[in-house]
Amino acid sequence: MEIFDYDNVLLLPRQCRVESRSECDPSIEFGGRRFKLPVVPANMKTVLDERIARWLADNGYFYVMHRFDLDAVAFARDMREAGLFVSISSGVKEADYAVIDQLATTGVGADYITIDIAHGHAESVRRMIGHIKTRLPDTFVIAGNVGTPEAVIDLEAWGADATKVGIGPGKVCITRLKTGFGTGGWQLSALKWCARVATRPIIADGGIRHHGDIAKSVRFGAAMVMVGSLFAGHEESPGSTVEVDGKLYKEYYGSASDFNKGEYKHVEGKRILEPVKGKLSDTLREMQEDLQSSISYAGGKVLGDLRRVNYVILGGENAGEHLLM
């Protein structure tokens, strides 16, 4: 198997078919809705809050609300009253089952539920998928996180409508250092590996450092790309603002960090400071423009055309040009 990550892969251009890159359409249909971009902010406390989730939904972007220190039912009700779609996170503990039951009995429901645990290839996830499908049968269920084809096959067989691929490749993840396991350092290769067996959408989660990495993720099979650090650090981002040597930063920490957990127990994340980078809407506009450019380099007009290009691996034993998957 080829082992590579975002930094040592480049996509190969094809003849351009548009007069202007603005003609290219980077939108994606996902779970019965169309979104402007195949990008979703990571469901982390320092990346989005209720206000940002509402803005994203109201402006044509996908979101997954985090599950930390949140009344998920009240949040879902507020989104319904605003005429917006409901996308929330769930764990696999008793309290999470109670949330699902309450969403069902109150009739509030949810359009998307992301079962979000560090090691998603687990019996606890199988049971939660079954519970959601029983209580909220019309809900689109995303399950993860996983990092192997076997896991994708199992989650789909258990009823997941989409799987989330990525074990610790994020900027504030230290899973591979703490446990010896993960997709950190070869996330793009893991995505390709998993996409080959998937029959339903995949969300690539983690390891995105540049906008071009979104195009690479789509090329290797992602329907959606979950982004953390590139969405952290905006003016409206939750979390404390810190001044260091006259420059402003926002705190950004992993969901498995002691900063998020409130205790130092089974810690697999860390805290860093992200430079304040302006408004989220400006970053999303730039992402859209860059993705339109990527599609034009692919010789395409729509997002799916990115999957038709060849690629090269730079350096190492696997270096060379590679044809289509």
Side-chain angles (χ1 to χ4, degrees), residues 31-174:
R33 287 172 175 79
R34 182 158 290 274
F35 299 102
K36 289 181 179 178
L37 292 175
V39 175
V40 55
N43 49 339
M44 303 164 72
K45 281 175 66 174
T46 50
V47 174
L48 85 164
D49 54 16
E50 294 97 321
R51 180 171 52 88
I52 293 175
R54 180 184 290 241
W55 184 89
L56 290 166
D58 199 32
N59 285 273
Y61 300 103
F62 186 52
Y63 77 92
V64 177
M65 187 60 197
H66 66 74
R67 59 186 173 90
F68 308 107
D69 302 319
L70 176 80
D71 185 335
V73 177
F75 169 77
R77 185 180 296 112
D78 289 344
M79 295 297 278
R80 288 276 185 243
E81 291 174 354
L84 302 171
F85 73 93
V86 175
S87 177
I88 61 173
S89 301
S90 175
V92 293
K93 300 185 182 302
E94 285 187 18
D96 301 300
Y97 279 85
V99 169
I100 303 303
D101 290 340
Q102 195 173 354
L103 288 169
T105 56
T106 60
V108 173
D111 300 296
Y112 301 83
I113 295 179
T114 298
I115 303 171
D116 181 45
I117 67 173
H119 186 13
H121 192 193
E123 279 293 302
S124 58
V125 171
R126 181 187 63 79
R127 291 192 295 269
M128 179 54 85
I129 293 173
H131 188 69
I132 295 172
K133 287 298 184 180
T134 298
R135 300 291 277 138
L136 298 168
D138 296 328
T139 297
F140 189 91
V141 177
I142 302 163
N145 279 26
V146 299
T148 64
E150 177 189 10
V152 172
I153 291 169
D154 280 349
L155 263 60
E156 289 189 353
W158 296 343
D161 299 297
T163 55
K164 194 143 69 78
V165 172
I167 305 289
K171 198 171 184 179
V172 290
C173 294
I174 54 174

Side-chain angles (χ1 to χ4, degrees), residues 233-235 237-241 249-252 272-274 276:
H234 287 91
E235 292 175 7
S237 297
S240 303
T241 301
Y249 298 83
K250 285 269 191 174
E251 63 177 352
Y252 173 50
I272 63 174
L273 295 177
E274 279 288 323
V276 174

Side-chain angles (χ1 to χ4, degrees), residues 21 40 121 180 213 225 237 271 285:
R21 60 195 71 193
V40 55
H121 192 193
D213 296 340
V225 184
S237 297
R271 172 182 177 266
R285 176 189 53 78

